[in-house]
Amino acid sequence: MALPNYFQDPNTLHINTTPHHAYFIPHQSLETISSREQSPYFTLLNGDWDFNYYESYHDLPEDFLNTAFEHKIPVPSNWQNHGFDHHHYTNINYPFPFDPPFVPHQNPCGLYHRTFQFESNGKRYLLNFEGVDSCLFFYVNRQFVGYSQVSHSTSEFDVTDFLTQGTNHLHVVVLKWCDGSYLEDQDKFRMSGIFRDVYLLEREQNYLQDFFVRYELSEDLSEATLSLDLQFIAENRPLKVELISPENVSVFCKQAVNFCEKITNVQLWNVENPQLYTLILRTENEVIVQKIGFRKAEVKDGVFYFNNQPIKFKGVNRHDSDPKTGYAISYAQALKDLQLMKQHNINAIRTAHYPNAPWFTELCDRYGFYVIAESDVESHGASMLAVKTPEPSIFLNHENDLETARIRQETIDNFCYFARDPAFKKAILDRQQANVERDKNRTSVIIWSLGNESGYGENFEAAAAWIKQRDPSRLVHYESSIYQHSEYQNDLSNLDFYSEMYGSTEDIDCYCETLKTKPFILCEYSHAMGNSNGDMEDYWQTFHRHPQSCGGFIWEWCDHAPYRENRQFGYGGDFGETPHDGNFCMDGLVSPDRIPHSNLKEVKNVNRPVRARFEDGKIVLHNYLDFTNLADILTVNYEFVQNGITTSGGFLEVDCEPHQSVVLPISLPENNGSHWLLNLSYTQNWDTELLEMEHELGFDQINLYPQNSLKKQLLVVTQTAFSVNETALTVEIHNEDYRYLFDKQKGIFSQIEKAGEPLIEQPLDFQFWRAPTDNDRLIRAAWQNAGYDNAYMRAYETVVNVSEQAVEIRVTSAIVSISRGRILTLDLVYTILADGQFSVKINAQRPAHLPFLPRFGLRFALSKNIGVAEYFGYGELESYIDKHHLAKLGVYRTTAEQNHTDYVKPQENGSHFGCEYVKFDRLYATADQPFSFNLSPYTAEELTAKIHCYDLVKSPYMIFNIDYKMSGIGSNSCGPNLKDEYRLNETEFEVEFQFILG
Ligand code: IPT
């Protein structure tokens, strides 16, 4: 069957659709406005539709409008989630040849059909598709109505003349690919079908097609001058316009075509207090309700201001995504996301990288989120076109740097393909219009984004210019404007931000200290892939340092992974697809089914609304909110913890204006040598729609006398009473109760027993490997190249000294790697005391040319029945040197099972930073300095080897690691290198581990 070639023609974007316009649903009376389903003018056509799937549209029968159906499919949904076609995850690479505007002949096709009953009231009838991927041919009663594309925008057809009384047939042909797919190369599972709601609207004959609420605010924001642009489909006619205040009081009520109304004592909207007015538009038969908030977003002197305050975005990038429903997201699912965001101090959303459902921003208006509304444009795949590369040579290429610069520029030139190609100008503009026109009355939308990663050029300049004249009240963002084609000088005059993704804190410093012309926005940062977001605190310290920096949007909100046949999550490659990008889709703050990762907990507490600091013997609280006095939102709960035990506490209501600090009226304990902590927890002091009273907004902890420790000291006993038997390969040390067997080849204990019972089930080991996190994916190659994954211990000399107090074993040893060299030179002193106490003193030297170490410490394989571990350190969630703001110092209890985090792609997890001791029934472990420890049912080798958590095999033992240091987490999976201060990169270090057998 030959369909018209609209889907390979960038000049044909829509046939017989109504112009893009604001989203609203007409009602008959105010009574039904709480839900569109209740409006008598709204008929939802979701449900099970008839469905046929064809691997190519060429297989569509000639007479497809009369064909029989084999299947049913729910609308809305993606057909890949219902057994048709297959899942395919690709990020940058196009999943088809780059050959615009052509797409493959093997272009999968879905034929949808349903009937519905209709009685005409003599009005106009509009059939709406809120989202279809990638394009649709639409037929009513077997007559062609129209064609449309732009997956994430509404296609509305006037079907009045096609409908008949009684039964009506709807047929929709959906193609997987069209020329628009070149502009929809977002980093996502590529899914197809009618994935958003379908409904019929009944409208008046001369109906109000569009309106645009505009207002000007006075300098001090107390007065607004409100006007309305109206667009009826024939001539404009008078409307009754009423405005109701947030307290439900009528502000004005007018009959007008053009009107302009002054409002005094304006109550402003902001995300901390989203005050909304209700605008009611009435014609003879229709009531249209639009919530509006008054707010002002502007840039002055390179600083971003919202309602005259310099504010910062604590943002996330959010996709519509669900493991079961794919792109089809219900109201309840979206609300769940928003609630989780509120609970975790997220205040802004970038709709990456396309408009969400039309009602999504309505929720953002209501619950309070700043929104960057992004149009449905990404053509990143153009940057993957082959460029001329030097022929491989085993000799050094002296022109390397020049070549690298040339390759980079050629790649950028390719990247700008669609940004500059006149053939795609119409499509790029159309996508801006779809975005702006639909959401232009949304209060939460304060920035329009031209799209994502599509290079820059004339087409985007035209897009920005169009937006600026259409909606001068909002700001315009486009990150890819930083890419310049070699033959083109970019005009950035209609862009309000300097935007980057994944820049380092040093990049922010550099921009804000030198250029300063536009606010710096990180539209993506702190890539949340796997165990991640180790850099949040540093980013926020940096954002706060610079007025020009207005925060950023974490990439990204949720992991993407459909369910596999085994009901487990699958990522790229798990569906047999190619090309694919592996687990790069697993980079969210929450799991695919919305379980918060520790990443989100770190983000939450870094973004807490208030922070305490210990200054001149006083506790000073700073209010980081922009519009709210602390007393209006939270209670400060405090408790003193002496040597791990809570002694006293209380709560306070604190009067503190936004951006101000106050001293807390609490008296602090004297330094009596105890370990004293002050824990402060900030809890919500009233119920809001998304946050319950007493919800914890964040916490602080102040270690009042950090020099005081609460760990046990090893006590020297008087008599050793040990027998020592030394052979060529071993040293055996034993008395009535204890037995140690020392391996002289390796330089470490191979057995430790108390009363005949082994403490360790395998020889002790020095461990410096960790299962690479996703953020280690780049450094991993350097680690492997240095042989870090293939190393073992080797001793050179062992000297045993027996004194009255102890048996001491001095060892010179090293960690060596096959085919490589020495990784560490170790000077070790083991001291064994008679009553089950022993220590290991280590001096380690590392060749400076080798990469930093993942970790360094001792590994114990403990018996499974060793019991529960108690520790004092940062818990109870996993914590690292650069990721411990989610955790508090305290006494915690855990088991290997509880301590393990099941990242879908296994990796290092569950470490605890800043520990003073770890205690099992039969072992007490500490060190001469705070350390990290880990307890896991899995070895690092197993976590390294497996690529899905559901394939992991448990060790027969409990794996206990006590680490001098565990390198930080960072966000290098797509971000800056791990900062030096978080690396184990010392060329020499010393530590003494101490143990007591219980
Ligand atoms: C960048 C993209 O904008 C985003 O969609 C996502 O792919 C993310 O990063 C990585 O997860 S692309 C990157 C190559 C900068």
Side-chain angles (χ1 to χ4, degrees):
M1 156 74 205
L3 289 169
N5 198 31
Y6 307 144
F7 65 97
Q8 300 186 99
D9 172 9
N11 257 321
T12 306
L13 306 174
H14 311 283
I15 295 178
N16 287 336
T17 55
T18 62
H20 298 301
H21 61 76
Y23 164 77
F24 57 89
I25 300 294
H27 288 255
Q28 197 169 36
S29 75
L30 284 178
E31 262 128 61
T32 60
I33 56 155
S34 59
S35 102
R36 64 186 190 177
E37 280 80 12
Q38 288 178 35
S39 166
Y41 302 144
F42 178 95
T43 308
L44 191 64
L45 295 170
N46 290 353
D48 281 346
W49 287 44
D50 300 318
F51 185 68
N52 281 347
Y53 171 75
Y54 306 97
E55 279 177 9
S56 158
Y57 72 98
H58 293 295
D59 302 336
L60 196 62
E62 197 60 44
D63 190 17
F64 68 89
L65 294 172
N66 289 302
T67 202
F69 283 88
E70 290 172 39
H71 308 284
K72 289 274 183 194
I73 197 166
V75 166
S77 73
N78 296 110
W79 67 55
Q80 286 83 354
N81 284 325
H82 293 274
F84 306 102
D85 197 1
H86 63 275
H87 283 301
H88 192 155
Y89 167 59
T90 155
N91 175 9
I92 301 174
N93 278 305
Y94 283 117
F96 45 73
F98 183 90
D99 188 19
F102 303 105
V103 290
H105 282 298
Q106 283 300 307
N107 187 1
C109 167
L111 174 64
Y112 291 75
H113 168 260
R114 74 163 282 163
T115 56
F116 75 101
Q117 298 301 312
F118 171 76
E119 300 299 325
S120 175
N121 292 323
K123 296 208 192 165
R124 300 217 71 82
Y125 295 91
L126 307 176
L127 206 299
N128 275 262
F129 296 88
E130 288 188 339
V132 179
D133 199 318
S134 70
C135 68
L136 72 154
F137 293 80
F138 177 43
Y139 307 80
V140 173
N141 294 326
R142 302 190 168 83
Q143 280 180 280
F144 177 66
V145 177
Y147 164 84
S148 192
Q149 57 164 271
V150 189
S151 298
H152 298 87
S153 82
T154 304
S155 300
E156 183 182 65
F157 300 90
D158 186 335
V159 292
T160 315
D161 299 337
F162 295 87
L163 294 176
T164 56
Q165 301 288 108
T167 304
N168 286 262
H169 291 264
L170 306 180
H171 281 88
V172 186
V173 176
V174 178
L175 300 186
K176 181 166 179 175
W177 311 123
C178 70
D179 52 273
S181 306
Y182 284 98
L183 302 179
E184 294 177 11
D185 190 35
Q186 293 98 347
D187 177 7
K188 60 185 195 296
F189 272 89
R190 310 298 166 113
M191 300 193 201
S192 322
I194 305 177
F195 66 91
R196 285 187 186 155
D197 294 344
V198 182
Y199 51 85
L200 185 73
L201 291 180
E202 180 177 291
R203 302 298 312 268
E204 295 170 330
Q205 279 299 340
N206 177 16
Y207 66 89
L208 180 70
Q209 183 167 64
D210 198 8
F211 63 91
F212 194 172
V213 184
R214 299 179 186 263
Y215 56 79
E216 289 282 333
L217 279 165
S218 60
E219 267 303 290
D220 68 352
L221 311 180
S222 67
E223 283 185 10
T225 314
L226 184 76
S227 64
L228 261 182
D229 292 351
L230 300 176
Q231 185 66 56
F232 283 84
I233 57 160
E235 76 283 2
N236 279 354
R237 54 198 176 96
L239 269 181
K240 198 161 141 208
V241 184
E242 184 174 9
L243 187 71
I244 315 267
S245 76
E247 286 81 33
N248 224 3
V249 177
S250 182
V251 182
F252 68 78
C253 188
K254 282 259 159 71
Q255 182 87 10
V257 185
N258 294 314
F259 94 116
C260 183
E261 195 67 31
K262 210 174 209 101
I263 299 147
T264 52
N265 297 324
V266 167
Q267 298 187 53
L268 297 169
W269 180 96
N270 61 61
V271 299
E272 293 163 17
N273 187 9
Q275 293 290 333
L276 289 171
Y277 287 72
T278 308
L279 186 72
I280 306 170
L281 310 178
R282 285 193 175 87
T283 62
E284 305 79 57
N285 301 306
E286 291 187 354
V287 180
I288 293 159
V289 171
Q290 175 66 54
K291 294 278 185 187
I292 54 166
F294 292 98
R295 83 284 184 262
K296 187 177 192 177
E298 63 187 330
V299 170
K300 280 190 287 197
D301 301 328
V303 177
F304 171 68
Y305 289 88
F306 187 84
N307 290 351
N308 292 350
Q309 285 284 355
I311 68 152
K312 309 225 185 260
F313 296 115
K314 299 169 176 170
V316 291
N317 282 277
R318 181 186 172 281
H319 264 286
D320 276 340
S321 164
D322 180 273
K324 190 156 173 245
T325 63
Y327 299 175
I329 299 299
S330 67
Y331 208 77
Q333 285 166 295
L335 199 56
K336 163 117 199 205
D337 276 354
L338 296 182
Q339 177 156 34
L340 276 169
M341 288 180 196
K342 273 278 173 207
Q343 285 170 348
H344 293 88
N345 299 328
I346 307 288
N347 74 359
I349 299 168
R350 174 175 176 230
T351 65
H353 302 298
Y354 45 75
N356 296 135
W359 40 260
F360 181 76
T361 39
E362 201 168 54
L363 295 178
C364 297
D365 289 357
R366 172 164 170 191
Y367 297 112
F369 289 92
Y370 302 118
V371 175
I372 297 187
E374 191 148 274
S375 75
D376 199 351
V377 181
E378 173 161 351
S379 62
H380 207 167
S383 67
M384 301 305 272
L385 288 177
V387 295
K388 183 169 170 279
T389 49
E391 283 178 26
S393 159
I394 57 166
F395 299 109
L396 273 184
N397 178 351
H398 294 294
E399 274 148 26
N400 244 350
D401 288 351
L402 275 176
E403 273 296 282
T404 312
R406 183 194 54 76
I407 291 171
R408 185 181 141 77
Q409 186 58 53
E410 246 184 72
T411 306
I412 291 175
D413 288 358
N414 287 336
F415 189 26
C416 297
Y417 182 93
F418 293 100
R420 302 204 62 210
D421 182 3
F424 278 84
K425 181 172 187 177
K426 182 174 166 184
I428 286 177
L429 270 170
D430 176 56
R431 285 162 187 266
Q432 310 304 324
Q433 288 157 359
N435 185 32
V436 170
E437 297 297 356
R438 198 195 72 178
D439 280 5
K440 60 183 176 284
N441 294 321
R442 291 280 178 259
T443 304
S444 52
V445 175
I446 58 174
I447 298 172
W448 300 115
S449 175
L450 305 185
N452 188 54
E453 299 193 303
S454 304
Y456 201 61
E458 295 89 325
N459 297 345
F460 285 103
E461 286 171 3
W466 178 82
I467 294 180
K468 275 290 171 194
Q469 59 77 31
R470 177 67 176 136
D471 181 14
S473 75
R474 290 185 176 89
L475 303 170
V476 179
H477 161 269
Y478 184 53
E479 182 267 345
S480 259
S481 62
I482 59 177
Y483 297 102
Q484 183 153 328
H485 192 278
S486 54
E487 288 159 18
Y488 192 69
Q489 187 64 44
N490 290 350
D491 170 10
L492 308 175
S493 57
N494 286 311
L495 302 178
D496 294 296
F497 294 90
Y498 174 78
S499 175
E500 274 191 12
M501 43 176 75
Y502 308 110
S504 63
T505 57
E506 292 78 12
D507 295 336
I508 304 170
D509 286 334
C510 176
Y511 176 88
C512 294
E513 280 156 17
T514 52
L515 295 162
K516 300 186 180 178
T517 43
K518 292 179 179 178
F520 186 110
I521 199 168
L522 271 178
C523 68
E524 295 178 21
Y525 80 111
S526 200
H527 198 244
M529 187 174 184
N531 185 356
S532 192
N533 304 92
D535 44 15
M536 275 304 285
E537 179 66 12
D538 289 310
Y539 273 114
W540 277 89
Q541 294 290 343
T542 313
F543 295 153
H544 281 307
R545 248 194 329 271
H546 301 293
Q548 293 83 11
S549 146
C550 56
F553 294 75
I554 293 166
W555 186 268
E556 66 177 308
W557 171 244
C558 72
D559 290 336
H560 311 276
Y563 290 117
R564 304 173 72 172
E565 279 145 16
N566 58 7
R567 298 293 297 164
Q568 304 284 10
F569 294 129
Y571 52 74
D574 288 339
F575 304 93
E577 78 272 35
T578 178
H580 70 79
D581 285 290
N583 70 326
F584 225 58
C585 50
M586 305 296 288
D587 53 2
L589 295 168
V590 295
S591 67
D593 53 351
R594 274 42 180 193
I595 310 294
H597 292 309
S598 63
N599 302 348
L600 184 58
K601 301 294 174 190
E602 180 74 2
V603 168
K604 171 179 175 170
N605 209 39
V606 169
N607 284 351
R608 61 199 180 273
V610 55
R611 280 174 174 239
R613 56 181 197 271
F614 191 25
E615 208 174 78
D616 301 332
K618 298 193 174 76
I619 305 297
V620 182
L621 211 61
H622 186 81
N623 180 358
Y624 281 88
L625 293 167
D626 301 307
F627 304 101
T628 313
N629 185 309
L630 287 186
D632 295 338
I633 180 162
L634 58 81
T635 304
V636 178
N637 306 276
Y638 65 95
E639 58 173 26
F640 290 102
V641 183
Q642 183 179 16
N643 295 334
I645 294 162
T646 303
T647 54
S648 61
F651 63 90
L652 300 164
E653 303 292 330
V654 181
D655 181 10
C656 179
E657 290 295 327
H659 298 183
Q660 302 301 312
S661 298
V662 289
V663 172
L664 281 188
I666 43 180
S667 47
L668 305 177
E670 296 288 318
N671 186 356
N672 57 1
S674 292
H675 188 276
W676 280 107
L677 292 170
L678 169 61
N679 285 335
L680 297 155
S681 158
Y682 314 116
T683 51
Q684 176 89 15
N685 66 8
W686 59 299
D687 275 334
T688 66
E689 281 184 290
L690 296 184
L691 293 185
E692 282 181 6
M693 180 149 161
E694 293 185 8
H695 161 80
E696 187 175 59
L697 297 159
F699 60 84
D700 270 297
Q701 182 172 58
I702 291 170
N703 194 348
L704 293 169
Y705 306 108
Q707 66 278 18
N708 300 348
S709 163
L710 47 63
K711 68 186 178 212
K712 284 191 202 172
Q713 302 294 333
L714 293 205
L715 296 174
V716 177
V717 283
T718 42
Q719 285 298 313
T720 63
F722 272 128
S723 307
V724 178
N725 306 324
E726 188 171 358
T727 69
L729 296 182
T730 59
V731 185
E732 189 185 21
I733 303 139
H734 64 96
N735 63 13
E736 269 189 5
D737 297 321
Y738 302 99
R739 178 175 167 271
Y740 299 83
L741 189 66
F742 192 82
D743 177 343
K744 288 168 72 179
Q745 294 183 73
K746 292 195 161 177
I748 200 159
F749 294 121
S750 52
Q751 293 175 20
I752 301 175
E753 286 169 12
K754 181 182 176 188
E757 256 206 71
L759 171 79
I760 50 174
E761 305 285 332
Q762 288 186 330
L764 275 187
D765 210 356
F766 286 108
Q767 186 167 1
F768 61 96
W769 182 252
R770 72 180 182 194
T773 64
D774 288 315
N775 290 313
D776 294 333
R777 74 187 184 102
L778 301 173
I779 191 68
R780 177 182 190 159
W783 287 345
Q784 287 174 339
N785 186 43
Y788 288 7
D789 58 337
N790 198 8
Y792 62 88
M793 292 182 60
R794 193 238 194 261
Y796 304 94
E797 199 183 355
T798 303
V799 178
V800 183
N801 290 314
V802 183
S803 72
E804 278 202 358
Q805 281 83 34
V807 176
E808 188 187 81
I809 307 175
R810 289 183 171 265
V811 188
T812 53
S813 69
I815 294 177
V816 290
S817 177
I818 294 166
S819 310
R820 295 291 188 264
R822 267 198 202 182
I823 291 166
L824 284 172
T825 300
L826 301 174
D827 291 316
L828 309 170
V829 182
Y830 294 88
T831 306
I832 304 149
L833 303 178
D835 59 347
Q837 303 184 58
F838 69 97
S839 65
V840 190
K841 191 168 178 188
I842 303 158
N843 174 286
Q845 296 130 47
R846 183 180 68 87
H849 67 279
L850 292 183
F852 72 89
L853 299 180
R855 58 138 55 108
F856 178 80
L858 272 173
R859 166 156 86 176
F860 292 71
L862 298 174
S863 150
K864 281 223 154 136
N865 60 21
I866 189 111
V868 173
E870 178 191 296
Y871 63 97
F872 182 90
Y874 281 96
E876 54 187 336
L877 296 173
E878 58 194 2
S879 61
Y880 293 83
I881 184 169
D882 59 347
K883 182 184 178 179
H884 58 83
H885 304 89
L886 73 173
K888 278 197 233 27
L889 283 174
V891 178
Y892 300 95
R893 291 164 70 77
T894 190
T895 64
E897 302 287 339
Q898 286 165 3
N899 199 49
H900 170 76
T901 303
D902 233 5
Y903 291 102
V904 174
K905 172 132 186 269
Q907 52 197 283
E908 156 59 34
N909 69 80
S911 187
H912 295 282
F913 170 70
C915 293
E916 298 241 335
Y917 70 82
V918 184
K919 187 169 99 185
F920 302 90
D921 284 349
R922 297 176 50 215
L923 179 69
Y924 182 97
T926 184
D928 61 345
Q929 51 197 288
F931 59 89
S932 288
F933 95 96
N934 206 332
L935 190 62
S936 175
Y938 306 103
T939 61
E941 292 83 346
E942 177 68 6
L943 293 167
T944 305
K946 296 291 163 63
I947 62 167
H948 292 104
C949 57
Y950 33 89
D951 295 333
L952 285 172
V953 178
K954 284 189 184 151
S955 159
Y957 316 117
M958 254 172 45
I959 307 301
F960 167 54
N961 281 82
I962 179 164
D963 292 319
Y964 154 71
K965 195 163 167 182
M966 164 67 83
S967 280
I969 289 298
S971 71
N972 191 221
S973 49
C974 186
N977 292 341
L978 185 67
K979 283 184 188 291
D980 274 348
E981 61 262 41
Y982 303 135
R983 300 173 170 201
L984 200 179
N985 58 358
E986 298 87 316
T987 48
E988 181 167 2
F989 55 88
E990 286 197 340
V991 61
E992 182 177 332
F993 295 119
Q994 299 157 347
F995 304 95
I996 305 171
L997 299 177

